[in-house]
Amino acid sequence: MPEADTPVTPAPTRSCWFPRSRRSPLLARQMLRKLLDTVPDGRDRYAEIGELLVTELVGNAVLHSGMPGRLIWVSFDVNDTRLRIEVHDASGRPPVPQQPSPIAGCGRGLLLVEALATEWGHFPRPSGVGKVVWAECAPEVLAAKQ
């Protein structure tokens, strides 16, 4: 048990509910940056690709979950070997990468996730409502792609 006069540093936020809003990808990126600032070399190892991944995953949940009034749960898990991002939404429809035409203005998000993540996937939410889409990136991949 810690002594009463020992300062307690609050743990960085690793998960949060977000509204289905166009601002939510930005807010999730900000949350990731704050978390990575608490991890040794976190920004250097994970920020660039991690921010792209969270933007695409949260953006897809906002755009495609189709459930007005429902919230999106975003969580991060980071250690020395990988950053894992999970986005929970209320839609049961699985994410499917598209092959948009060269002039299409959207539809490339999951192609970016496939290209940047070391692994990604989806599974039904344990509560039985909706799904979880997740992606991981590793520091080695970041160094190789720069």
Side-chain angles (χ1 to χ4, degrees):
M1 181 171 190
E3 295 192 27
D5 62 349
T6 304
V8 177
T9 305
T13 303
R14 294 182 177 267
S15 58
C16 185
W17 288 104
F18 291 96
R20 278 191 62 233
S21 163
R22 291 168 47 182
R23 287 187 39 81
S24 290
L26 167 67
L27 298 172
R29 278 194 312 274
Q30 290 172 343
M31 188 174 99
L32 176 60
R33 281 186 212 124
K34 288 178 184 175
L35 172 63
L36 292 178
D37 283 344
T38 68
V39 176
D41 299 320
R43 279 228 187 172
D44 292 339
R45 292 186 293 157
Y46 301 112
E48 186 175 339
I49 290 179
E51 287 183 29
L52 286 168
L53 291 173
V54 75
T55 298
E56 292 303 328
L57 296 180
V58 172
N60 281 347
V62 168
L63 186 62
H64 299 295
S65 68
M67 306 296 276
R70 297 290 181 120
L71 299 175
I72 298 165
W73 179 255
V74 178
S75 67
F76 302 109
D77 185 31
V78 63
N79 61 34
D80 290 340
T81 61
R82 60 116 179 90
L83 166 66
R84 181 180 175 95
I85 302 162
E86 289 188 1
V87 178
H88 301 226
D89 68 49
S91 170
R93 289 182 309 192
V96 178
Q98 304 295 312
Q99 292 297 328
S101 75
I103 59 171
C106 61
R108 294 173 180 81
L110 288 177
L111 295 175
L112 284 171
V113 171
E114 282 185 332
L116 297 174
T118 53
E119 293 183 79
W120 80 279
H122 64 90
F123 57 89
R125 286 180 68 193
S127 68
V129 177
K131 67 180 173 303
V132 177
V133 182
W134 60 272
E136 293 184 357
C137 63
E140 302 83 39
V141 173
L142 293 176
K145 293 189 181 208
Q146 289 181 347

